[in-house]
Amino acid sequence: MQIEELIKKQKEFFEQGKTLSYKTRKNILQGFRKAILKYEPKLYEALYKDLNKSETESFMCEIGLVLSDLNYQIKHLKKNMKKQHKKTPLAQFKGKSYIEPSPYGNTLIIAPWNYPVLLSLEPLVGAIAAGNTVILKPSEYSVETSAVLKDLISEAFPEEYAAVVLGDAAVAAELLDNEFDYIFFTGGTKIGQKVALAASKYLTPMTLELGGKSPVIVDHTAKIDLAAKRIVFGKFLNAGQTCVAPDYILVHESKKEELIQALTNWIKKLYPNSLENSSYVKMINERHFNRILNYINTANKVIYGGNSSVNTLKIEPTLLESNLDELVMQEEIFGPVLPILTYKSKEDLLTTIRKHPNPLALYIFSTKKKNIDWITAHIQFGGGCVNDTIIHLATNELPFGGVRQSGIGSYHGKKSFETFSHYKSVLSKANWIDLPIRYTPYTKKKRKLIQFFMK
């Protein structure tokens, strides 16, 4: 089916009101859950082929999170769909005020390759729960997973409700050339700018989940060994191909050597013989493989790692001693390379971080509340953790999203429902009484009454 024909078919389906009822939404979400469980083995196989992900990592970081969100949406659907009654001012006697969630309509979701199941299906779950139709465009880089997603969605939904469109950047551009009621994009900032430009043509509301250089701050009070363990986990999960992965470390100069030693020890423990390790994730393709190697080859100093295998597209977890002028500090890394910089004062921290403002995530390792509060107050970022990394995105109770360069809008849990809903504000007035004070001609008595009611 041609793209324009599919969009038209979904538009007609939505306009007939077929996605609106609670029963329809609940049934389709429950059916979708069954389909995911059925396709779970195929998703594991596809993720392994695309990224060399183990079943444990695939479930923990992708399929399990989608199922968790599905359960959340099903459980809270009736409550989220209810009108939210608000207080009505005396001046509007007699009336009732409420906010009513309403689906946008036809939505477009453009997903990336790094977490091809999670970042395709979790937004889709939110869109369906909110009562929309969906066209999903998965990445052309995660070929195997995208093919399985197409089969999965085709079985779980009629195509007028939700459908997958496969293809490269030209297909994405063709989709964006059409009018949608909402666009949800996850990817890099440069492509996000193109999506925003395309959306502006029709004044289409959108969510942009982007990225940036997410810093890890390790102050002089931090528990270094625990910090190192959790940094290594967050950074080298998915071989660093995570939008909220620690991008670089800013460690107090007094703790630099201790931290480097602890990081090295934990890399050896968690990723032994990484190039031969069947559970260690590879780069998605040769272009990204070479891009990461270029960071290593131009680095001032490699502290640990740096080896690679072109045959498997794997790169060792690598630590670099860096400065702001190096290539690795000019853009988001998105790979298993971790630059380490030092700082002396809070002012040093701000100067460095503001070179790459508004990161998607920020991580602080400290035992001093005063330091933690100062950092979170003075630095603008999407979200983050204190004394841990990346796990803030794994809870349905915390909205996930960026700010400015790192994104627009957020989702997860209830926020996903809200993101894909327009909230209509309604004031319903009684028809058996009509106060005359608002109508002309105005008198001093009416003015005094208006002032009384409105103060």
Side-chain angles (χ1 to χ4, degrees), residues 3 137 140 167-176:
I3 286 175
K137 164 62 177 71
E140 66 273 24
D168 58 13
V171 173
E174 184 180 354
L175 283 164
L176 288 168

Side-chain angles (χ1 to χ4, degrees), residues 379-398:
I379 299 172
Q380 195 173 37
F381 57 96
C385 300
V386 175
N387 293 318
D388 212 334
T389 62
I390 78 169
I391 59 168
H392 63 293
L393 59 75
T395 170
N396 291 320
E397 299 298 331
L398 290 177

Side-chain angles (χ1 to χ4, degrees), residues 29 44 55 80 99 125 199 208 268 286 296 324 333 381 425:
L29 289 172
Y44 287 139
E55 287 193 10
N80 288 339
I99 299 172
V125 169
L208 300 178
K268 291 176 179 178
E286 192 171 344
I296 296 172
L324 285 172
I333 297 169
F381 57 96
S425 298

Side-chain angles (χ1 to χ4, degrees), residues 154-448:
S154 296
E155 183 167 321
F157 300 90
E159 64 181 359
E160 60 267 28
Y161 206 137
V164 170
V165 174
L166 300 178
D168 58 13
V171 173
E174 184 180 354
L175 283 164
L176 288 168
D177 198 41
N178 288 272
E179 184 174 3
F180 288 90
D181 297 305
Y182 201 90
I183 296 173
F184 190 104
F185 170 81
T186 305
T189 302
K190 290 181 181 179
I191 304 300
Q193 290 172 330
K194 294 181 180 179
V195 172
L197 185 62
S200 69
K201 178 181 179 181
Y202 298 106
L203 297 179
T204 304
M206 62 187 170
T207 294
L208 300 178
E209 293 296 343
L210 307 177
K213 296 189 76 65
S214 298
V216 180
I217 299 167
V218 181
D219 77 6
H220 66 284
T221 72
K223 294 184 177 180
I224 297 299
D225 191 63
L226 181 63
K229 182 181 182 181
R230 291 177 176 177
I231 291 169
V232 167
F233 167 78
K235 175 60 181 181
F236 301 111
L237 185 74
N238 206 39
Q241 298 170 114
T242 305
C243 59
V244 292
D247 194 272
Y248 64 99
I249 293 175
L250 276 167
V251 58
H252 191 272
E253 60 181 7
S254 66
K255 296 294 181 177
K256 174 187 173 184
E257 297 304 325
E258 184 182 354
L259 179 65
I260 288 173
Q261 186 60 54
L263 289 168
T264 302
N265 290 340
W266 279 112
I267 290 173
K268 291 176 179 178
K269 289 179 183 178
L270 299 179
Y271 298 98
N273 302 313
S274 55
L275 298 185
E276 290 79 38
N277 189 331
S278 61
S279 297
Y280 184 60
V281 174
K282 69 181 182 70
M283 298 292 97
I284 185 67
N285 55 35
E286 192 171 344
R287 182 172 72 85
H288 283 281
F289 175 82
N290 290 329
R291 180 180 62 83
I292 298 301
L293 286 187
N294 194 37
Y295 291 142
I296 296 172
N297 294 334
T298 59
N300 177 52
K301 182 180 179 181
V302 177
I303 301 171
Y304 179 85
N307 295 313
S308 62
S309 170
V310 69
N311 294 326
T312 61
L313 297 182
K314 290 185 178 182
I315 299 173
E316 278 186 322
T318 301
L319 303 177
L320 304 178
E321 187 172 311
S322 296
N323 58 64
L324 285 172
D325 297 327
E326 288 189 64
L327 178 63
V328 74
M329 288 301 297
Q330 303 310 307
E331 56 189 15
E332 184 180 5
I333 297 169
F334 224 67
V337 174
L338 184 57
I340 300 172
L341 294 79
T342 60
Y343 75 94
K344 293 181 180 180
S345 65
K346 292 176 180 178
E347 290 70 29
D348 288 343
L349 278 178
L350 292 183
T351 298
T352 300
I353 293 173
R354 285 172 179 171
K355 295 286 185 182
H356 304 283
N358 311 120
L360 180 57
L362 183 141
Y363 307 112
I364 310 160
F365 287 88
S366 175
T367 58
K368 194 171 184 179
K369 185 178 182 299
K370 183 178 180 181
N371 287 357
I372 295 166
D373 291 344
W374 188 92
I375 288 168
T376 57
H378 284 79
I379 299 172
Q380 195 173 37
F381 57 96
C385 300
V386 175
N387 293 318
D388 212 334
T389 62
I390 78 169
I391 59 168
H392 63 293
L393 59 75
T395 170
N396 291 320
E397 299 298 331
L398 290 177
F400 170 73
V403 57
R404 290 203 62 200
Q405 291 95 329
S406 58
I408 298 172
S410 59
Y411 71 121
H412 284 190
K414 184 179 180 181
K415 191 63 179 179
S416 290
F417 184 93
E418 294 173 346
T419 288
F420 285 99
S421 299
H422 168 66
Y423 283 78
K424 300 173 180 175
S425 298
V426 180
L427 176 62
S428 177
K429 291 293 289 286
N431 57 15
W432 54 268
I433 186 172
D434 191 26
L435 298 178
I437 63 172
R438 67 174 175 171
Y439 300 106
T440 58
Y442 298 125
T443 63
K444 288 184 178 180
K445 183 179 179 180
K446 284 184 177 181
R447 179 179 174 181
K448 287 181 179 180

